[in-house]
Amino acid sequence: MRLKILVPALLGVLLALGGGWAVSQAPEPLPQGQTSPPEGAPAPRPEPRAEVVDSSRVPTLLLGARQEILLYTDRFSYAPLAQALREAVIQRGVRVRLLLPAEAFSAQDSFAMGFAFLSLKRPNLEVKVLAGGKVDPRAVVDRSYLLVGYPLEGLPPEVRGPLLLFRDPATVGLEAERFARYWASAPYCRPRARYEAGRLRTWCDLSNTRP
């Protein structure tokens, strides 16, 4: 089976906030005349706070990983991002999980297929295919901090919003759990290549088991 698969709708509530996101909804308004929550009611959950960081820090923030990087990105065509991930995999032994939409594997400027082939030789690199909806590009690093925003794709902040850095453990943990649900429902890319009419053709066969 090739890149034709139905994946359940994306889980959770993702609200676009200038390239960022929100994991909780605003609290319900109090009834008329009531000025405070009733006794014993849980306190409203605070919105996660993000730090706006310079987009040039993407490679440095990823290379800060010691154990794990969980990454979702639309096209995977940003060379500094790919270079940082390759170094993390090969030189530092970091476990990297890439979750990429089907379109990334056919885009001429994407590194998706290259990393799929690299995963055949590197057990600490896994590449899966997510079809269906999209979310903002994001990376969970060592489950210690979360990067969100299109600067992960190499787009300037003025085009699609800034790069946001979340350090709150609850926010980072929630995103890691969400990534795990996406990951569990997505198939692996089993890379294939052959020459046709003098040209090298590459594609993914989809598999529920690791190549």
Side-chain angles (χ1 to χ4, degrees):
M1 182 180 182
R2 297 181 186 171
L3 291 174
K4 295 180 180 178
I5 185 169
L6 295 177
V7 174
L10 295 179
L11 303 173
V13 179
L14 295 173
L15 303 177
L17 291 177
W21 62 300
V23 296
S24 59
Q25 297 176 340
E28 294 292 330
L30 294 173
Q32 187 173 4
Q34 184 174 330
T35 59
S36 62
E39 185 177 353
R45 182 178 178 179
E47 294 287 342
R49 293 187 176 183
E51 174 187 351
V52 177
V53 297
D54 193 287
S55 57
S56 65
R57 293 182 60 194
V58 166
T60 302
L61 289 167
L62 292 178
L63 288 175
R66 296 184 178 182
Q67 297 178 333
E68 179 185 67
I69 298 173
L70 310 175
L71 176 71
Y72 170 87
T73 182
D74 284 345
R75 293 182 59 84
F76 196 31
S77 57
Y78 185 39
L81 172 66
Q83 183 176 352
L85 291 175
R86 186 176 184 275
E87 181 176 335
V89 169
I90 295 177
Q91 299 182 20
R92 302 172 65 88
V94 174
R95 184 177 81 158
V96 173
R97 285 185 163 179
L98 299 179
L99 191 55
L100 308 173
E103 295 82 1
F105 294 90
S106 58
Q108 295 296 316
D109 60 347
S110 175
F111 296 95
M113 285 303 305
F115 272 72
F117 279 105
L118 181 61
S119 71
L120 299 178
K121 297 182 178 181
R122 297 288 174 172
N124 56 323
L125 172 63
E126 298 176 89
V127 181
K128 282 192 169 187
V129 183
L130 176 67
K134 294 183 178 181
V135 297
D136 294 342
R138 57 198 57 212
V140 179
V141 181
D142 285 343
R143 309 202 179 209
S144 297
Y145 53 90
L146 165 68
L147 299 170
V148 179
Y150 279 89
L152 285 168
E153 293 278 4
L155 295 179
E158 59 269 20
V159 175
R160 293 293 298 271
L163 179 65
L164 301 180
L165 173 64
F166 295 85
R167 297 185 185 273
D168 173 64
T171 301
V172 177
L174 182 63
E175 186 59 36
E177 292 175 5
R178 181 181 290 117
F179 186 95
R181 293 195 294 269
Y182 298 161
W183 186 264
S185 64
Y188 285 97
C189 169
R190 188 180 294 273
R192 295 287 186 262
R194 69 182 175 203
Y195 278 97
E196 293 183 351
R199 298 182 62 183
L200 180 64
R201 176 174 171 261
T202 60
W203 71 93
C204 282
D205 283 342
L206 300 184
S207 173
N208 290 326
T209 58
R210 178 174 176 147

